[in-house]
Amino acid sequence: AVVSTQSGHYGRDTNLFEFSNMARGPKKHLKRLNAPKKWMLDKLSGKFAPRPSAGPHKLRESMPLIIVIRNKLKYSLTYNETKKVTMSRAIKVDGRVRTDMCFPIGFQDVISIDKTGEYFRMLFDVKGRFLIHRIKKDEAAYKLCSVKSLNTAAKGVPTLVTHDGRTIRYPDPLVKVHDTIKLDIDSGKILDFIRFEPGSQAYITGGQNCGRIGIITHREKHPGSFDIVHVKDSVGHSFATRLSNVFPIGKGKQNWISLPRGKGVRLSIAEERDRKLAQKAKEM
């Protein structure tokens, strides 16, 4: 700032700049070592990583579109090639064309590529890493959304907010927080919903058990702390996680989305070793 001194000359007042070291605005960069491990980026391919833009998912709960196109699907090799792909309006996320290379892709988002006739859904593998799961066209017409809150808007309009930032007016009165809705992507309307209750099939979206799938057995309520949900997978292994990490995906054993390879069952180290040895024996 330029200020007037007693002598009438204009000069800089150094006192005004003592506290000017604070950040101005949002951060625009992301160091590669600070990027989420679930992106599976190598350490030596550069100093920086693509930083997801502000969008429907949090930074550490999403993956930028450029990593999906360049690193996972291998449709491009470089930054500039990826930019040409997105600017050609060839990539749709949840039915909308996205030209921003750093648009955040989160859990349950549907990626559509009309030119190749390919459709993908963002899921987690049993080790908690992001997984680009290939799906069919009829399944790409809808997505599942977890209900985060129920509110009343202006003029008494009931609304609900989903995990991907959508606000839906006039939902079914039976839908509660932590339930899952089946959303039609084109119209944005609720087709059906899954109650969060024992017996429902659930996908774990956070914590040490991220990526595992099982049936909800019971819920422990801890007022003032975190509610704990107990889940049993298809093999019979039981585990517990926080309520916020549980995402219902089906009623009973019927799941509403196609599951990745392994069906969400995490193997022990010994079981993984035995499976790899069996595969090698078959190849030989």
Side-chain angles (χ1 to χ4, degrees), residues 21-230:
N21 296 325
M22 293 186 294
R24 300 193 178 187
K27 294 183 179 179
K28 299 182 183 298
H29 298 81
L30 178 66
K31 288 290 184 70
R32 206 168 184 88
L33 292 180
N34 292 336
K37 303 303 179 189
K38 61 179 88 172
W39 291 3
M40 295 294 291
L41 295 179
D42 52 349
K43 294 189 293 185
L44 302 180
S45 294
K47 185 176 289 187
F48 295 96
R51 184 185 182 88
S53 304
H57 300 279
K58 295 181 180 180
L59 184 144
R60 306 198 74 83
E61 296 174 2
S62 62
M63 179 188 290
L65 188 57
I66 182 174
I67 294 182
V68 176
I69 298 172
R70 182 183 64 185
N71 300 43
K72 304 298 182 182
L73 299 179
K74 311 289 187 184
Y75 277 129
S76 60
L77 297 175
T78 62
Y79 177 95
N80 284 330
E81 283 185 12
T82 312
K83 192 169 187 177
K84 291 176 182 177
V85 171
T86 56
M87 294 306 291
S88 67
R89 304 180 68 84
I91 309 296
K92 290 182 179 180
V93 179
D94 288 345
R96 289 193 174 189
V97 174
R98 298 295 180 184
T99 57
D100 180 11
M101 284 193 304
C102 293
F103 185 82
I105 311 295
F107 183 66
Q108 287 291 332
D109 283 358
V110 176
I111 303 168
S112 307
I113 308 175
D114 292 336
K115 290 185 177 180
T116 60
E118 292 179 304
Y119 304 91
F120 305 91
R121 191 185 300 279
M122 181 70 82
L123 298 174
F124 294 106
D125 65 6
V126 291
K127 296 190 176 181
R129 303 171 297 200
F130 277 118
L131 174 68
I132 313 298
H133 177 59
R134 190 183 298 268
I135 58 176
K136 296 181 180 179
K137 185 176 181 179
D138 55 349
E139 188 183 339
Y142 65 89
K143 66 179 296 188
L144 303 183
C145 299
S146 177
V147 178
K148 290 299 181 183
S149 64
L150 296 171
N151 307 304
T152 303
K155 298 183 180 179
V157 177
T159 62
L160 64 79
V161 179
T162 62
H163 79 285
D164 59 350
R166 297 172 188 265
T167 300
I168 301 174
R169 291 157 54 94
Y170 296 107
D172 190 319
L174 297 177
V175 177
K176 305 297 180 185
V177 178
H178 306 305
D179 290 352
T180 296
I181 60 171
K182 183 177 181 180
L183 185 80
D184 182 69
I185 290 178
D186 289 336
S187 65
K189 294 183 179 179
I190 300 175
L191 302 176
D192 202 351
F193 69 95
I194 305 168
R195 298 293 299 271
F196 186 97
E197 59 187 3
S200 296
Q201 190 173 25
Y203 212 116
I204 309 302
T205 60
Q208 294 295 318
N209 294 300
C210 184
R212 300 181 73 174
I213 300 173
I215 303 295
I216 299 173
T217 55
H218 68 281
R219 168 183 173 180
E220 295 178 5
K221 292 188 177 182
H222 298 280
S225 184
F226 300 100
D227 286 6
I228 302 298
V229 178
H230 292 261

